Amino acid sequence: MSGSLPPNEPITTVKCVVWDLDNTLWKGTLLEGDDVAVDDQVYETIVGLDSRGILQAVASKNDHGPAWRRLEDLGIAEYFVLARIGWGPKSASVREIADELKFAHHTIAFVDDQPAERAEVAFHLPQVRCYPAESAPELLALPEFTPATVTVDSRRRREMYQANARRQAEQESFEGPSEEFLRSLDLAMDIRRATADDLSRMEELTLRTSQMNATGVHYSDADLRALLDDARHEVLAVTMSDRFGSHGAVGVALVETGAAVWHLKLLATSCRVVSYGAGATVLNWLISEAATAGAHLAADFRPTERNRIMEVAYRFTGFTDELCACLAELPPPGDGRTQRLHITPAPRPVPCTIRLTTVPLATT
């Protein structure tokens, strides 16, 4: 196998497996008239990867129409979020798949029966991990195909990506202002107190989200569980849906409440919902709740190489660097890099493009 990580490197879980078709995904060669079929072990691998939240795609040298119809006839087309079936180089197909999914190359695996095809992909995309077709039945036993946790959202990741593809296709064909398109989606956001069952996805968000993570701090399952049991802290889970389906859990917020000031220690939202204004919606709701409680709101922000867009969200909703006496009630940031932003809250209007369902945090 090529493209594997060195033994001393931490294991990075594969996010997408890209399959060749002839003599790899199925037995036989379609264009030679073979009655191609999927081996039981390969089928079990496809279903198993899907259940772990690992996406799958196709990169095959074939005529697209007949190949895709055969996948449909075999009852497995639904498992593949993308298909690049044609006569170009496999490396170009794999690159296109990675780019469309916005996945780093080291999170992509490529399976092909031909050594020359694997070598061509490895040469042009050295970080992609390449596997021979005969290893397909063994993939589920390998550590890089075994996520540390499998959340509810992980198990339906394929369905969410497929729904997003339909959503994007409609957006591209929509004629009119972007706000009107957002209204047409019938977006709904639910902000509620997290439960123990939510924690694995909450931890995943603090790990995987970089652009829309206010501090870049990782909160482990144990950290979050301890905060759930602390009456001073609110651990908030944010989910979204629209008429195309569920976006799943898209955000986490950690707030320590106090009489004079509320401390927003972390806000992280999925990059998938940036264009819907999810981060600003959560911030405006928190500002309104703090206003109802008669408390100021302070937020931690630690700049990273990728989270500039989150700083824009904070500034756009009114957070500033102003010094306020209320900040003396909070312990100073300990790392020397974290900024403490502040706002004197006032009630905010409800969003016009998202239907909100929330839990009251303020006690009056």
Side-chain angles (χ1 to χ4, degrees):
M1 299 179 196
S2 63
S4 298
L5 294 171
N8 60 336
E9 290 291 323
I11 294 169
T12 302
T13 303
V14 167
K15 292 184 178 181
C16 180
V17 176
V18 181
W19 294 87
D20 171 47
L21 293 179
D22 291 330
N23 296 306
T24 301
L25 187 75
W26 56 46
K27 293 180 179 178
T29 303
L30 187 65
L31 289 179
E32 292 179 0
D34 294 342
D35 185 19
V36 299
V38 177
D39 181 89
D40 287 345
Q41 289 182 305
V42 172
Y43 179 77
E44 290 173 6
T45 298
I46 293 169
V47 175
L49 292 169
D50 186 70
S51 70
R52 295 178 183 184
I54 297 173
L55 300 181
Q56 295 170 89
V58 170
S60 171
K61 289 182 177 177
N62 255 301
D63 289 336
H64 187 280
W68 186 254
R69 283 194 295 274
R70 187 57 182 159
L71 287 169
E72 291 178 324
D73 292 342
L74 292 168
I76 56 174
E78 64 180 314
Y79 287 102
F80 303 101
V81 295
L82 291 171
R84 292 294 181 268
I85 303 173
W87 298 101
K90 293 282 183 71
S91 61
S93 296
V94 174
R95 186 190 302 275
E96 288 177 11
I97 290 166
D99 289 347
E100 188 159 340
L101 293 175
K102 297 180 175 60
F103 286 175
H105 290 175
H106 71 276
T107 67
I108 304 291
F110 174 63
V111 186
D112 197 297
D113 66 304
Q114 294 293 324
E117 298 286 13
R118 299 196 303 272
E120 190 269 336
V121 169
F123 178 79
H124 291 285
L125 306 172
Q127 289 187 304
V128 170
R129 287 174 265 190
C130 298
Y131 300 80
E134 59 267 23
S135 70
E138 307 164 8
L139 297 184
L140 294 175
L142 298 177
E144 62 265 39
F145 297 91
T146 308
T149 60
V150 178
T151 66
V152 171
D153 283 357
S154 298
R155 287 191 287 271
R156 60 186 184 192
R157 185 166 288 142
R158 167 176 55 87
E159 296 172 10
M160 290 194 289
Y161 269 88
Q162 290 168 331
N164 192 52
R166 295 191 295 272
R167 193 179 291 117
Q168 288 180 339
E170 180 155 328
Q171 183 173 11
E172 290 170 5
S173 63
F174 187 86
E175 296 181 359
S178 57
E179 186 172 299
E180 285 303 312
F181 175 72
L182 293 180
R183 289 180 192 272
S184 76
L185 287 178
D186 192 23
L187 286 162
M189 176 183 284
D190 181 53
I191 306 174
R192 58 178 174 78
R193 291 183 174 91
T195 67
D197 292 339
D198 297 316
L199 296 188
S200 58
R201 175 57 179 151
M202 300 296 98
E203 179 184 8
E204 186 179 43
L205 275 168
T206 70
L207 275 171
R208 291 167 63 102
T209 303
S210 56
Q211 288 180 308
M212 293 299 289
N213 188 325
T215 63
V217 174
H218 166 228
Y219 284 79
S220 69
D221 185 286
D223 294 332
L224 294 169
R225 198 171 298 275
L227 293 176
L228 279 186
D229 297 330
D230 186 339
R232 300 169 302 163
H233 283 86
E234 297 283 3
V235 183
L236 301 168
V238 183
T239 58
M240 285 186 73
S241 64
D242 61 26
R243 60 185 171 86
F244 288 96
S246 173
H247 293 270
V250 298
V252 56
L254 305 178
V255 185
E256 184 175 9
T257 57
V261 58
W262 288 10
H263 183 192
L264 177 56
K265 295 182 174 181
L266 171 71
L267 175 62
T269 61
S270 170
C271 297
R272 292 183 286 110
V273 292
V274 169
S275 61
Y276 306 140
T281 299
V282 175
L283 283 172
N284 280 319
W285 171 75
L286 280 170
I287 290 167
S288 290
E289 286 294 300
T292 300
H296 288 199
L297 185 59
D300 287 349
F301 178 77
R302 187 173 70 175
T304 69
E305 293 180 356
R306 292 177 55 82
N307 71 351
R308 169 67 177 163
I309 191 171
M310 182 58 94
E311 182 178 13
V312 171
Y314 274 117
R315 302 291 185 179
F316 189 75
T317 50
F319 283 87
T320 70
D321 299 306
E322 73 170 300
L323 295 176
C324 180
C326 74
L327 298 178
E329 297 197 12
L330 303 179
D335 59 9
R337 294 162 52 200
T338 299
Q339 304 168 14
R340 187 145 291 158
L341 306 179
H342 174 271
I343 189 170
T344 303
R348 297 294 172 96
V350 296
C352 61
T353 58
I354 300 177
R355 188 174 66 257
L356 269 180
T357 302
T358 62
V359 59
L361 299 186
T363 55
T364 57

